[in-house]
């Protein structure tokens, strides 16, 4: 699902909203601290070309000044700095990214492409640095930090029809009353009107809504859903399979950025409300 946002939310992401982030953001940890990676040897000098797209905030998007930014983009730049690389970040249309990498028009993809067996068959991937979540949202007065799934028996949940979220509810939560809609906006409208008691949708899209003033009366309830069969294995930097040294270097850089706090700082900057 391609998330949409408003200028207000974009400016909030760029400004950081540090106070809000400190009180409401859970920073995910994808690293096993028992595993330590050695710093890779520097290879021949080269410019590493990262490819992304400019229309999926807060992971990668065009800033008001026209430059590229976002969590994936800034993480890529931080990795380059950590490794002492010279790097460029270029925007391409999302549906051309995989072919552009395969054909050598870039060296690394820094975009929200969920890993799958099909993707792994074609490309190598760095360690995960993000996962797509599904979340339940409701009105603030109805939100709970912990949510027993049995408490959803018979509850009305709005969900966009034909999505992985609809399939998940149908298969794993058949005891709820689904209110299927055509768009996320319609699902939110159903919640606000009382036709639904919850919305079940992409965590990133919902986190953008909750970060803006238009979503101030809503909140997440319960924790994230991470079932890979429905919501993907996760997101890492993608590399061609013949670039094994590049993969090892990126793995080392990501681990180091977690260890020195850079990952958390970037996450707080771009996720004022966390999808986790």
């Amino acid at each position: 699902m391609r998330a949409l946002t408003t200028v207000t939310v974009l400016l909030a992401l760029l400004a950081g909203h540090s106070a809000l982030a400190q009180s409401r953001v859970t920073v995910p940890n994808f690293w096993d601290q028992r595993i330590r990676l050695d710093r890779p040897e520097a290879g021949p000098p080269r410019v590493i070309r990262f490819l992304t797209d400019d229309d999926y905030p807060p992971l990668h998007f065009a800033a008001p000044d026209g430059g590229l930014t976002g969590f994936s983009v800034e993480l890529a730049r931080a990795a380059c700095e950590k490794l002492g690389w010279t790097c460029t970040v270029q925007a391409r249309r999302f549906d051309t990214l995989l072919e552009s990498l395969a054909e050598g028009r870039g060296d690394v993809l820094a975009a929200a492409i969920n890993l799958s067996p099909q993707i792994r068959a074609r490309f190598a991937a760095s360690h995960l640095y993000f996962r797509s979540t599904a979340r339940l949202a409701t009105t603030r007065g109805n939100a709970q930090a912990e949510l027993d799934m049995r408490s959803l028996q018979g509850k009305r949940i709005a969900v966009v029809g034909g999505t992985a979220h609809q399939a998940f509810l149908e298969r794993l939560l058949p005891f709820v009353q689904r209110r299927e809609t055509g768009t996320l906006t319609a699902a939110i409208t159903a919640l606000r009107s009382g036709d639904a008691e919850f919305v079940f949708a992409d965590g990133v899209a919902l986190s953008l809504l909750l970060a803006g003033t238009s979503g101030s009366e809503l909140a997440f309830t319960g924790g994230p859903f991470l079932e890979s069969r429905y919501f993907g294995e996760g997101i890492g930097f993608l590399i061609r399979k013949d670039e094994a040294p590049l993969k090892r270097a990126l793995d080392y850089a990501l681990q180091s950025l977690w260890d020195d706090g850079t990952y958390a700082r970037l996450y707080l900057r771009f996720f004022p409300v966390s999808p986790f």
Side-chain angles (χ1 to χ4, degrees):
M1 178 183 295
R2 308 290 287 155
L4 300 178
T5 189
T6 64
V7 172
T8 300
V9 173
L10 283 174
L11 293 176
L13 293 171
L14 293 169
H17 270 315
S18 58
L20 179 62
Q22 294 294 339
S23 63
R24 298 173 66 184
V25 174
T26 298
V27 179
N29 179 1
F30 300 105
W31 288 271
D32 185 341
Q33 295 304 302
R34 297 170 297 181
I35 300 174
R36 311 309 301 168
L37 303 177
D38 294 329
R39 184 180 182 90
E41 294 183 5
R46 62 184 284 197
V47 175
I48 304 298
R49 299 164 299 164
F50 282 81
L51 301 178
T52 189
D53 105 319
D54 60 3
D55 192 29
Y56 189 55
L59 280 103
H60 36 87
F61 59 96
D65 65 3
L68 290 169
T69 189
F71 181 63
S72 292
V73 172
E74 300 306 333
L75 199 61
R77 288 177 173 142
C80 290
E81 183 176 351
K82 178 68 67 175
L83 294 164
W85 288 350
T86 300
C87 297
T88 63
V89 183
Q90 305 167 21
R92 293 184 180 271
R93 207 174 66 230
F94 187 83
D95 60 358
T96 69
L97 286 173
L98 292 175
E99 291 308 316
S100 293
L101 178 63
E103 294 169 5
R105 293 195 290 272
D107 303 302
V108 185
L109 287 193
I113 297 176
N114 258 305
L115 293 174
S116 66
Q118 294 77 16
I119 295 292
R120 289 188 183 279
R122 294 185 65 192
F123 303 100
S126 73
H127 191 86
L128 298 183
Y129 64 81
F130 192 75
R131 288 197 67 178
S132 295
T133 67
R135 294 298 303 263
L136 282 165
T138 187
T139 55
R140 283 199 171 277
N142 195 37
Q144 303 175 51
E146 303 288 336
L147 189 64
D148 185 340
M149 291 298 102
R150 292 173 297 183
S151 69
L152 295 175
Q153 178 82 34
K155 298 297 185 183
R156 303 183 307 278
I157 301 182
V159 64
V160 180
T163 62
H165 305 89
Q166 179 263 320
F168 179 89
L169 290 185
E170 186 174 9
R171 176 81 176 182
L172 298 178
L173 297 179
F175 47 81
V176 306
Q177 297 183 54
R178 296 193 311 278
R179 295 288 190 265
E180 295 184 15
T181 66
T183 64
L184 179 57
T185 299
I188 296 296
T189 299
L191 173 62
R192 286 176 167 147
S193 70
D195 185 48
E197 297 161 274
F198 301 90
V199 168
F200 187 60
D202 175 65
V204 170
L206 288 174
S207 72
L208 287 176
L209 173 69
L210 300 185
T213 55
S214 64
S216 60
E217 85 283 18
L218 306 177
F220 285 133
T221 187
F225 295 82
L226 295 165
E227 281 74 6
S228 59
R229 287 182 301 161
Y230 293 91
F231 311 124
E233 298 177 21
I235 296 168
F237 295 125
L238 293 184
I239 313 106
R240 288 184 299 278
K241 286 197 169 184
D242 59 356
E243 292 274 21
L246 195 53
K247 169 183 158 41
R248 288 194 295 271
L250 289 168
D251 285 342
Y252 169 81
L254 287 170
Q255 173 84 64
S256 299
L257 294 173
W258 171 262
D259 290 343
D260 70 13
T262 300
Y263 180 95
R265 288 194 294 273
L266 289 174
Y267 192 87
L268 291 172
R269 173 181 170 189
F270 288 103
F271 291 96
V273 175
S274 177
F276 285 85

